[in-house]
Amino acid sequence: MQHQLEAVIFDWAGTTVDFGSFAPTQIFVDAFKQAFDFDLSLEEARGPMGLGKWQHIEALGADPVIGARWQAQFGRPMSHADIGHIYRTFLPLQVERVAAHADLIPGALETIAALRNRGMKIGSTTGYPRQVMERLMAAAEDNGYAPDCIVCADDLEAGARPGPWMALQCVLELGIGSVARCVKVDDTVPGIAEGINAGMWTVGLALSGSPAGLTLAEYTSATAEQRREVRERVTPAFVDAGAHFVIDTIADLVPVIEEIEARLRRGERP
């Protein structure tokens, strides 16, 4: 019986790059404003983070509070055509700006090197479409990060998160023998659901991602008490989604990998 993990499948923004996941959230705000002169707060924009970007816009329109504001402004619910217009506005803005948010999260390179030293492969999935990821992948590679495979939100006909398809495509591309020997690491609830639905171990990131909403400077300067407050606010949603572990950032991952391998040796499965 194989007891060693074979792969870790990482999300991108808020997980390996872009501490706080600010690239997509700010651009949702800008796209709504530019496309329809509709005001969206940064906090509201973060709500459905982890979904594909079209589905993210759709979810924002379906939100009771945002939807009521849209109805009041336009006299009708958000339509499929409206979503398409916002998405087409969003896409070039995201392509234009995403490379500016390609800084690696502290500890990412060291953690990934440690995983590779353990013989593990590195996969990745993202809510970004391929057009955006081409720009981000190049910038991340310049910063030293190049996973073994990258599956984007618009790559697969079946769809994206919270379904299992992108994570399972990584399994296919990496030639993994068992989904139980894969770990999905993500800073969003849909990303955790993706891993759970694919039959994998899952690890939520409480402080580096979109739900926490901290800049790297805010995280670095935060007191232990401040970090604890954010951790306690964010963690329950990950637990409710089925996350097997919740840690602060990717820098804390290696001990979790060791714990999962110990569980596999005891015959446990995700």
Side-chain angles (χ1 to χ4, degrees):
M1 181 70 70
Q2 167 66 262
H3 301 306
Q4 184 178 4
L5 289 167
E6 294 186 52
V8 177
I9 299 168
F10 290 104
D11 175 48
W12 279 78
T15 296
T16 53
V17 301
D18 186 11
F19 199 104
S21 193
F22 282 92
T25 45
Q26 182 58 53
I27 293 170
F28 280 121
V29 173
D30 296 344
F32 270 78
K33 187 68 174 176
Q34 187 171 312
F36 283 104
D37 195 26
F38 183 83
D39 292 324
L40 190 72
S41 73
L42 203 59
E43 184 177 358
E44 287 173 332
R46 289 186 180 282
M49 197 59 71
L51 298 176
K53 301 315 175 195
W54 178 286
Q55 292 76 20
H56 188 122
I57 295 165
E58 183 179 44
L60 289 172
D63 177 87
V65 174
I66 299 169
R69 224 164 53 237
W70 184 279
Q71 179 82 34
Q73 184 166 335
F74 299 109
R76 55 175 173 76
M78 185 183 292
S79 69
H80 190 79
D82 295 333
I83 296 167
H85 181 48
I86 296 167
Y87 182 78
R88 290 189 295 274
T89 305
F90 169 89
L91 200 56
L93 292 173
Q94 188 72 87
V95 171
E96 175 188 335
R97 300 185 204 171
V98 72
H101 296 269
D103 286 350
L104 296 177
I105 288 172
L109 285 182
E110 295 82 355
T111 294
I112 290 162
L115 298 176
R116 291 197 185 279
N117 286 338
R118 298 172 75 93
M120 300 175 70
K121 297 176 181 178
I122 305 299
S124 68
T125 69
T126 178
Y128 283 135
R130 177 67 58 174
Q131 182 180 349
V132 173
M133 275 307 300
E134 294 290 347
R135 184 72 61 91
L136 180 55
M137 286 175 342
E141 190 166 357
D142 287 342
N143 291 334
Y145 177 49
D148 300 316
C149 74
I150 300 166
V151 184
C152 302
D154 60 347
D155 282 350
L156 304 176
E157 188 175 343
R161 301 167 182 155
W165 308 292
M166 292 196 296
L168 293 177
Q169 182 65 24
C170 286
V171 170
L172 292 172
E173 293 187 21
L174 298 175
I176 301 304
S178 169
V179 292
R181 297 201 293 273
C182 294
V183 182
K184 179 67 188 3
V185 181
D186 208 293
D187 67 296
T188 69
V189 166
I192 294 299
E194 174 190 22
I196 293 291
N197 289 332
M200 299 176 179
W201 300 94
T202 56
V203 181
L205 302 179
L207 298 188
S208 67
S210 182
L214 298 173
T215 66
L216 179 56
E218 288 169 340
Y219 169 77
T220 302
S221 64
T223 65
E225 174 64 18
Q226 288 169 329
R227 290 187 185 187
R228 183 189 64 77
E229 289 174 359
V230 176
R231 197 180 293 122
E232 290 182 354
R233 170 173 63 83
V234 167
T235 296
F238 285 122
V239 173
D240 289 346
H244 298 94
F245 299 88
V246 181
I247 57 178
D248 287 355
T249 77
I250 190 173
D252 307 308
L253 183 61
V254 171
V256 170
I257 296 299
E258 294 169 348
E259 171 61 23
I260 292 172
E261 291 193 338
R263 291 191 181 192
L264 286 170
R265 286 192 294 272
R266 295 195 295 268
E268 297 181 34
R269 292 294 178 268

